[in-house]
Amino acid sequence: MASTTPIDTPPPPLAPIAPLDAKSGSTGRAGDKIFLGLSRGSGILLLVVMASIAAFLTYRAAIAISQDEGNFLTTFDWNPAGNPPVFGIAVLLFGTVVSSLIAMAIAVPIAVGIALFISHYAPRRLAGPLSYVVDLLAAVPSIIYGIWGALFLVPYLEGLNLWLDDFFGWTYLFEKTEVGVARSLFTVGILLAIMILPIVTSVSREVFLQVPRMNEEAALALGATRWEVIRMSVLPFGRSGVISASMLGLGRALGETMAVATVLSPSFVISLHLLNPGGGTFAQNIAAKFDEANELGRDALIASGLVLFVLTLLVNGAARLIIARRKEYSGANA
């Protein structure tokens, strides 16, 4: 029996799309208005919280700096309880920046290599468990890294320090001029590198997995090797993501507290001999001296926290500028 349903039956008409309001970006529906209000309110709340933190830090920092008899930016001493009170952030700024740069120099290349291995080289049976382990390491508390660093990393770095002193002491940076255990900025940099490695790896891996498959297949069709595919297709596509991941790791390195306080032997001396024990960072100094500080001392620590706050904002702002310029450059060449 032949079917009576016509073959060329037109599809039912689509529901009309509500016009988009140019001012609010909403279609006028209740759900869109609620979502728009929640999104806008969340953004405003974030700005209010950031402004409140900045205002509080600035107010307390102004009180401390007004009573400081030294230069807050260049003084090498930290004695807000003295008579007169003298304190400065020169040593803390140097230690924070140097240890973070050491961590970035070690962690970022290794993290990118691990991310590329997981996303493009490892078989599925290995890539899955390896990704899980990397994500699990990113969730380990800082104090665990600190205890491990103090009990395991510091003793075993003595041999590495002696080797660096023997073969690279001529560079001045790796010349060990003081006797002591390896509680130095170099040790802190290695520990921070281990801590930020999972974060940079996880974000970079997800970015590399988003590379359009057609780009890789086109490169393979032209006769490119696996490395050439990665160099021409994967790395250019994921460059902005790797920069974002690196800045995320740098943010953690700059503000790390417990692990640094556990490993570092603090001293208010600036030395370019990275293997010598001593140095200090903002977060470590705040954690070590906040409980025993008087009112002026706490205001001084808050002032140093303001510098760390501004430093973190500058780093994130620089990362955003780099990513924006990369996007403009890519769009211009497209």
Side-chain angles (χ1 to χ4, degrees):
M1 182 176 179
S3 174
T4 58
T5 304
I7 297 178
D8 298 329
T9 303
L14 297 175
I17 300 176
L20 188 66
D21 187 6
K23 282 188 175 182
S24 64
S26 172
T27 60
R29 296 176 180 175
D32 289 337
K33 289 182 177 180
I34 294 174
F35 181 76
L36 175 63
L38 291 175
S39 302
R40 183 177 295 169
S42 300
I44 295 174
L45 178 61
L46 177 62
L47 294 177
V48 170
V49 171
M50 293 290 291
S52 301
I53 294 174
F56 170 78
L57 294 177
T58 303
Y59 172 72
R60 298 293 293 269
I63 296 176
I65 294 175
S66 65
Q67 303 180 50
D68 186 9
E69 294 297 327
N71 190 308
F72 182 67
L73 297 178
T74 59
T75 300
F76 284 22
D77 194 10
W78 189 272
N79 188 20
N83 187 18
V86 177
F87 52 89
I89 62 166
V91 176
L92 303 178
L93 180 61
F94 176 82
T96 300
V97 173
V98 169
S99 60
S100 299
L101 290 179
I102 293 173
M104 294 292 291
I106 298 173
V108 172
I110 298 176
V112 172
I114 296 174
L116 288 173
F117 175 75
I118 294 175
S119 61
H120 287 81
Y121 284 96
R124 288 188 177 182
R125 292 182 179 180
L126 179 61
L130 190 58
S131 300
Y132 177 77
V133 171
V134 170
D135 294 339
L136 185 63
L137 288 175
V140 175
S142 301
I143 189 61
I144 303 300
Y145 283 108
I147 295 174
W148 174 82
L151 299 180
F152 180 85
L153 186 63
V154 170
Y156 279 91
L157 277 182
E158 280 297 314
L160 176 61
N161 286 357
L162 295 176
W163 182 84
L164 290 173
D165 183 32
D166 291 338
F167 291 94
F168 296 96
W170 55 270
T171 62
Y172 190 83
L173 294 177
F174 296 110
E175 182 183 7
K176 188 175 177 63
T177 61
E178 296 182 11
V179 179
V181 294
R183 294 182 176 271
S184 60
L185 291 178
F186 182 70
T187 303
V188 171
I190 294 177
L191 181 62
L192 291 177
I194 296 173
M195 294 180 65
I196 68 176
L197 182 65
I199 300 174
V200 182
T201 301
S202 297
V203 178
S204 300
R205 179 197 67 216
E206 295 302 320
V207 172
F208 293 150
L209 289 174
Q210 301 302 318
V211 177
R213 187 63 182 172
M214 291 186 298
N215 293 5
E216 300 182 33
E217 292 176 350
L220 290 172
L222 293 174
T225 62
R226 179 68 64 87
W227 162 242
E228 290 172 338
V229 170
I230 291 175
R231 182 171 58 86
M232 295 186 297
S233 300
V234 178
L235 291 179
F237 179 87
R239 185 177 289 112
S240 61
V242 172
I243 294 174
S244 300
S246 302
M247 293 304 105
L248 183 63
L250 179 58
R252 181 174 184 183
L254 289 172
E256 180 53 45
T257 304
M258 296 309 300
V260 177
T262 307
V263 169
L264 185 63
S265 177
S267 66
F268 273 83
V269 177
I270 291 181
S271 175
L272 293 178
H273 297 293
L274 300 180
L275 302 182
N276 288 343
T281 67
F282 286 115
Q284 168 267 326
N285 188 59
I286 293 173
K289 300 190 175 184
F290 193 83
D291 286 340
E292 62 185 23
N294 56 17
E295 185 175 356
L296 177 59
R298 294 188 178 185
D299 287 341
L301 293 174
I302 291 174
S304 67
L306 175 63
V307 178
L308 179 59
F309 181 77
V310 173
L311 180 63
T312 306
L313 289 181
L314 290 177
V315 168
N316 290 329
R320 296 301 304 172
L321 288 177
I322 294 173
I323 294 172
R325 292 189 63 181
R326 279 289 177 185
K327 289 182 178 179
E328 290 179 1
Y329 179 78
S330 301
N333 291 341

